[in-house]
Structures are given as C-alpha cells and as structure tokens.
Amino acid sequence: MTSATLGARRGRVQGQSGSPLARRRRRVFGPFLAPALILYTVLFMVPTVYSFYASFTSWDGFSDPRWKGTFNYEHLTRDPAFKDAFFNTLKLLFGCGIFLFVLSFAFMLLLREMKGRKFVQGFIFLPHIVSGVALAAFWGFLLSHDGMANKALHSLGVGPVDWLKPEWQFKAILVAIVWINTGYYVTILMAGVDRIPPYYYEEAKLAGTNAWQRFRHVTLPMSWDVIGTAAVLWTIGTVKIFEFILAFSGSQGNLPTTNQWTSALYVYGETIGGTSPIYDFGRACAGAVVTLVAVVLVVVVLRRATSRDRLEL
C-alpha cells in the first residue's frame, strides 16, 4: 500500500472521527441541550400533538374526549365566528405587515443619518415593552369622544369624530398594532444595516448613486437575511395578538364582537372566554390547528422567497 493511499485513508478516518477536542465538544453538547429539549418537548411539542388529537374529538376540558372525526373541521367551514377570526388574522398579517415594514424601513433610513438617533429609537420602541392592557386603555382614552384626538381636532375647528363606532373599531386596532410594533422592527432592521461596512456606501456615492440606488443595491441585499427573519417573527407574532384586542374591545368580562376576533381570540372564546364560557375545546383545537397549518405554510413561503446566498461583509 502506497504512502499516498495511507494518507488518504488516514484523512478519511480523521474526518469521520474528528479531533479529540471536537469529540469532547460533542460530548458536552448533550448535557447542555438536554434540559432545554426536555422543557420544549413537555411544554410545547406534547400539547401541540395532543391538540391535533383533540381537534377530532368532542371535549369540554374535564371529561374524557369523545371521538368525532372531522366534524369540528366541517363546522369551521360554516362558522362565521371562525371565518371572521381567520380573515382578521390575515388582515393583521398582510395588511399591517406591509405597512409596518414600509414604515420601519422609512424610520430606519431616517434614523441612520440623524443625530440623537438612540433617543428617537428608544422612544418609538417604548410601546413594545408596555403591557398590552395598558396600551389598550391609553388607545381607548385617546380615541374616546372627549379624548386627545378629538380635542386636537376641535382646536382645528373639526370634529368630534366617533372613532370607536363598531365599523371603525377593528381599523383602530390595526393602526394600534402598527404603532406598537414599529419600534421593535426598526431595531431589528437597524441591527442588520449597522453591520454593513461604511465603505460600501462610500464607493456607491463615488459612483454617483442616489439614496434609492444605495438602498436597493447596498442596503437591501446585504440585510436580506435580517429582513427574512423579521418577516418570520412578524408572522408568528401575528397569531399571538390577543390581550390588546380583548382589553380594547371587550367590557366587564364580555368578549368583543366576533367581527373583531383573531385566531387567538377564537380559541379563547370557544373555551373559557366570556361571562358564559362554552368549553368546546375540540372545536377550539381545530381552529388552532388550521391556523397553525396556515402559519407554517406562510413561513415556508417566506423562507423560500427571502432565501439568498449570504453576502460576506
């Protein structure tokens, strides 16, 4: 056997087994990952799998589930409350999402060249860290008949406007959700753009590009992975929007009207929500499963649409 053959075999064996340090590192991963994996399995995976099973049953949360097949899913196709909740969730996802990201990009580009940008960035980030219930109370006060919005209009000789009439309430919620989340996504986008080396912009300026061309050919491609991650975070966060709508539109333990429900509120309303709970956990699980499948599909499409070869900075 030649020395070249021995060297090749030795290289293959070493590549398969790795260095002693690499083997020790792999042995360390297990003890560190095990607690997190156990908690994730018990608190997330097991309830998710059981929800799939419960969606095919009639279950009040107390007695044993009774198998009903696809009855719950068939009911969802005829349930106006679920249709309202599902389409309202889509409005939040796409309607709010598009406006939110356009606004976040605008703030990001404005703040990059602004003095005192840390203060402004912290100011617009503040709503994201405040309790949703407190924000709902403030939003209701702002838009009430004697609230600040109507007082500002009165000083201009306009109004008052009934901002909280039923057909406008969900539109007010959409605006509030954008207001609450803009600072968070500005922060994420700023973190992605700040890592771009300044000399790329300097070379682009020397080439005679304008601000739009620099954004399109420098900022956008070099922060594409951050944009994709932010889009996935928004998709996942949309289905968890709950307490703001409940506190803003509900009253004295009553649920909001179904035309303001989201998927999260549908699950709550079909189980323990309201002054007269329904306790229909089977139907609620079916609604949650449909929403989960829709979110997974959207995330897969987003990941494919935003997948690009990583640019080395």
Side-chain angles (χ1 to χ4, degrees):
M1 185 177 293
T2 64
S3 58
T5 304
L6 289 172
R9 179 173 295 181
R10 190 180 300 112
R12 286 194 298 270
V13 172
Q14 185 175 3
Q16 293 171 358
S17 60
S19 65
L21 179 59
R23 290 195 296 271
R24 285 198 297 270
R25 284 178 176 174
R26 285 195 293 271
R27 286 196 295 269
V28 170
F29 289 159
F32 279 100
L33 288 176
L37 288 175
I38 293 171
L39 285 175
Y40 184 80
T41 301
V42 172
L43 298 179
F44 293 97
M45 295 305 299
V46 172
T48 300
V49 172
Y50 191 80
S51 295
F52 275 94
Y53 163 73
S55 67
F56 294 97
T57 68
S58 175
W59 183 39
D60 60 5
F62 303 99
S63 58
D64 294 333
R66 290 182 292 106
W67 185 262
K68 294 181 66 174
T70 60
F71 176 81
N72 289 324
Y73 291 96
E74 293 170 4
H75 177 82
L76 293 181
T77 63
R78 305 185 301 269
D79 188 354
F82 177 75
K83 292 178 181 179
D84 285 341
F86 188 76
F87 284 111
N88 283 341
T89 302
L90 293 181
K91 290 176 186 177
L92 284 168
L93 175 59
F94 295 107
C96 278
I98 292 172
F99 190 76
L100 172 66
F101 276 86
V102 170
L103 192 61
S104 298
F105 270 113
F107 268 112
M108 182 267 294
L109 295 174
L110 180 65
L111 291 175
R112 289 194 75 240
E113 307 295 335
M114 179 185 291
K115 292 182 179 179
R117 73 170 191 173
K118 295 295 183 182
F119 172 79
V120 178
Q121 187 176 343
F123 181 77
I124 62 176
F125 185 81
L126 182 62
H128 189 76
I129 62 176
V130 178
S131 166
V133 176
L135 291 172
F138 169 75
W139 201 245
F141 170 73
L142 178 70
L143 300 179
S144 65
H145 184 77
D146 297 325
M148 292 189 292
N150 277 328
K151 287 182 179 179
L153 290 177
H154 179 72
S155 65
L156 299 174
V158 182
V161 176
D162 186 7
W163 302 104
L164 298 179
K165 58 184 179 180
E167 59 268 28
W168 284 13
Q169 278 198 2
F170 194 74
K171 295 181 178 64
I173 290 171
L174 296 179
V175 174
I177 295 301
V178 172
W179 166 61
I180 293 169
N181 289 280
T182 295
Y184 177 69
Y185 288 96
V186 168
T187 302
I188 292 177
L189 296 177
M190 288 284 289
V193 172
D194 284 345
R195 65 178 185 167
I196 301 175
Y199 60 78
Y200 283 106
Y201 292 99
E202 295 170 1
E203 292 179 2
K205 287 181 180 179
L206 291 175
T209 59
N210 56 34
W212 165 249
Q213 290 171 328
R214 290 193 293 274
F215 171 75
R216 179 183 176 186
H217 297 291
V218 178
T219 304
L220 201 57
M222 290 194 169
S223 57
W224 198 251
D225 55 338
V226 177
I227 297 170
T229 301
V232 171
L233 288 175
W234 169 249
T235 302
I236 297 171
T238 300
V239 299
K240 298 189 291 184
I241 295 174
F242 169 76
E243 69 275 10
F244 180 89
I245 301 176
L246 181 63
F248 179 73
S249 300
S251 61
Q252 298 180 352
N254 293 316
L255 292 168
T257 55
T258 57
N259 62 356
Q260 298 178 51
W261 283 14
T262 60
S263 296
L265 266 168
Y266 179 82
V267 173
Y268 179 68
E270 292 294 320
T271 51
I272 61 174
T275 54
S276 301
I278 299 176
Y279 297 116
D280 194 337
F281 284 84
R283 188 186 305 170
C285 286
V289 168
V290 171
T291 304
L292 176 62
V293 172
V295 168
V296 169
L297 291 176
V298 172
V299 169
V300 170
V301 171
L302 281 173
R303 295 306 296 172
R304 288 185 175 275
T306 58
S307 62
R308 298 288 189 277
D309 291 335
R310 183 181 177 133
L311 298 178
E312 297 295 336
L313 303 178

